Every structure is written in C-alpha cells, then in structure tokens.
C-alpha cells in the first residue's frame, strides 16, 4: 500500500533518479531538519516522512519496488485508464501542476507559520479572542438604553465570531497540511464548516442560558425595589424608566402588561444590586 508520494513531497518529477532525490533531500534538510526547527513539531513530522522516502528511494531495490507500486496506483485510477486527446492531456496536466503547486504552498506556508507561532498557541489566542468578545457581550447584555450600551453587545458578538473564524481557520490549515502530505486528497473544508456551524449555533444558546440564569439568580437573592418613573408600550414592547443612585435607566421588557400596570403607584421595579440594569416589573398586591 502506498501512503505517500515521496516525489510530490520532495517537489521533484515522478520517478526521478537517485541523484535528483539526494539533491532535493539535502535542500529540504536545510529547511526542515528538527535541529533548525526545535519547536515546530509539524516540521519534524514532515521531515520524518521525507526521510522515510529518502531511505526508500536511496536503495535501488526498494526504489524499484516503490516505483512499481506507485505506478500501479496511478494506473488504476480512472483518469489514467481513459484515452485522452492531446488537448485534454494538456489541460489535465495544467490542472495537475496547479494542484501540486497549491499542495507545496500549503506545506511551506504551514511549516513557516509553525516556526513563528505553533498551532496550539494560535488556537489558544483565537479562543481567547472569542471568549473576550463573549464576555464583553455578556457584561453589557442588560444595558441602559439611555446610554446606548447595547452597542457593546453587538461589538462583543462581532469579536466572538471573529474568534470563531480564527479557530475554524486554524483547524482548516492544519487539516489542509496533513492532507497535503498524504497521497490521497480528502475534502478538508467539510470539517472546518462543521466546526464553524457548530460554534455559530451553539454560542447563542450558551449566551441565552448564561444571561437567563444570571438574571434569575440576581433577582432572587440580590434584589432591591424602586418606583417606576414612566412606562409606555411601543410596537408590542414595553419600555419603562427608573432611577438607581441618581442614574436614569431605560429598559425594555416583553412581560405581559395589563391595565393595572398603568397605575404607577401599584408598580415597582425589581432590580439587581449587582447590576441595576437587570430588572423586571412587579405589581403590588391589593
């Protein structure tokens, strides 16, 4: 079974002679030897695979056997069985060359990026960006509409999903690299899309659960009451205004409001001492 096309990985023509293999191996050793990339595990992995190929292609018997297996692998593929016109062969060759350039660029770019900052560290930074945006939105969710603090919530979500994009991009680049060093090509985009869509839909549920739980806890065990200053119904939403420590707060609620709530004397605002923007309307008993 052929797992790697060592000629492709060394970026030399298929079935190149030993002298060409040796020359290219020494060039790659200068770039990717573990001693030159002490913190780059992927460069070490890549160099091990290239070294494995060199050890095979350096031995005449092993090279003959490997070349036969590789030739058999390609000849069994449908593209090699179909008789093609010269024009079609030229087109296919150009497509193949473009694909190989892309493969080589992916390997080189990824290993270069690993030398600057490892995959784990890039993933950690992306996660911290996403979490910081999430917390920014969470801390300003129960915001004072008079001060337009709600803008922080939207900015936080933008930062959160930028972090999600970076996380997805990190996994995509890692999978694309691993795919590039193998002989078989797989669709690496699918995993990246699954990760992004999972986080995209999961984050709002987590966010909703956190703010709901936080509001419940604060209004149950850390609550105070104050009088309402104004209340109005606009487009199905109820706006009400109150003051805490001389700070005017305008909030919106989707509570069901009946005629009794129009009597300000019977309405109180129950708010959190931790965050006065967290509040709800309560109706005093007769």
């Amino acid at each position: 079974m052929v797992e790697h096309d060592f000629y492709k990985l060394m970026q030399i023509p298929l079935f190149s002679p030993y002298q060409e293999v040796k020359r290219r191996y020494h060039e790659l050793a200068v770039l990717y030897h573990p001693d030159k990339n002490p913190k780059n595990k992927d460069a070490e992995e890549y160099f091990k695979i290239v070294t494995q190929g060199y050890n095979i292609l350096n031995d005449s018997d092993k090279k003959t056997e490997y070349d036969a297996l590789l030739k058999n692998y390609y000849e069994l593929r449908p593209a090699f069985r179909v008789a093609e016109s010269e024009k079609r062969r030229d087109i296919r060759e150009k497509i193949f060359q473009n694909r190989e350039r892309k493969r080589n660029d992916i390997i080189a770019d990824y290993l270069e990026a690993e030398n600057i900052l490892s995959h784990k560290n890039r993933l950690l930074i992306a996660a911290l960006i996403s979490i910081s945006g999430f917390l920014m939105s969470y801390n300003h969710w129960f915001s004072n509409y008079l001060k337009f603090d709600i803008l922080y919530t939207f900015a936080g979500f933008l930062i959160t999903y930028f972090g999600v994009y970076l996380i997805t991009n990190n996994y995509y680049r890692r999978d694309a690299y691993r795919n590039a060093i193998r002989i078989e090509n797989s669709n690496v985009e699918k995993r990246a899309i699954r990760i992004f869509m999972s986080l995209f839909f999961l984050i709002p549920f987590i966010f909703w659960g956190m703010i709901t739980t936080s509001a419940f806890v604060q209004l149950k065990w850390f609550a105070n009451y104050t009088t309402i200053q104004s209340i109005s119904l606009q487009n199905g939403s109820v706006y009400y205004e109150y003051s805490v420590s001389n700070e005017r707060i305008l909030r919106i609620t989707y509570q069901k409001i009946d005629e009794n709530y129009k009597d300000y004397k019977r309405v109180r605002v129950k708010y959190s001492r931790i965050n006065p923007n967290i509040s709800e309307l309560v109706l005093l008993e007769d």
Side-chain angles (χ1 to χ4, degrees), residues 173-196:
R173 293 183 66 185
R174 180 71 174 268
D175 289 347
Y177 161 75
R178 289 178 172 176
N179 186 65
I181 64 176
R182 294 184 176 90
I183 193 169
E184 290 287 359
N185 290 319
S186 59
N187 190 347
V188 297
E189 289 85 358
K190 286 185 177 180
R191 187 189 183 208
I193 292 173
R194 283 198 301 268
I195 293 173
F196 182 83

Side-chain angles (χ1 to χ4, degrees), residues 31-45:
L31 294 173
Y32 302 119
H33 194 281
D35 291 343
K36 298 183 179 294
N37 304 272
K39 297 181 180 180
N40 191 338
K41 297 298 183 183
D42 290 293
E44 181 180 349
E45 177 190 7

Side-chain angles (χ1 to χ4, degrees), residues 12-29:
I12 55 178
L14 202 62
F15 309 125
S16 293
Y18 161 72
Q19 292 80 4
E20 179 68 16
V21 172
K22 181 179 180 181
R23 179 194 65 80
R24 184 55 181 163
Y25 176 74
H26 288 163
E27 290 178 351
L28 293 174

Side-chain angles (χ1 to χ4, degrees), residues 118-165:
S118 71
H119 169 77
K120 290 182 179 179
N121 288 334
R122 293 198 304 272
L123 195 60
L124 177 61
I125 291 173
L128 290 175
I129 290 173
S130 188
I131 291 171
S132 65
F134 185 91
L135 293 177
M136 180 179 177
S137 293
Y138 172 74
N139 290 332
H140 290 87
W141 179 256
F142 297 100
S143 57
N144 187 344
Y145 285 81
L146 289 174
K147 294 184 176 181
F148 296 100
D149 287 345
I150 194 69
L151 295 177
Y152 285 100
T153 301
F154 292 114
F157 265 108
L158 289 177
I159 295 172
T160 299
Y161 282 110
F162 176 67
V164 169
Y165 163 77

Side-chain angles (χ1 to χ4, degrees), residues 207-233:
F207 189 82
W208 180 83
M210 286 181 62
I211 64 173
T212 302
T213 303
S214 176
F216 173 80
V217 170
Q218 292 189 46
L219 291 177
K220 187 172 180 64
W221 286 288
F222 303 95
N224 270 349
Y225 294 85
T226 187
T227 56
I228 194 169
Q229 294 180 344
S230 67
I231 186 170
S232 62
L233 181 64

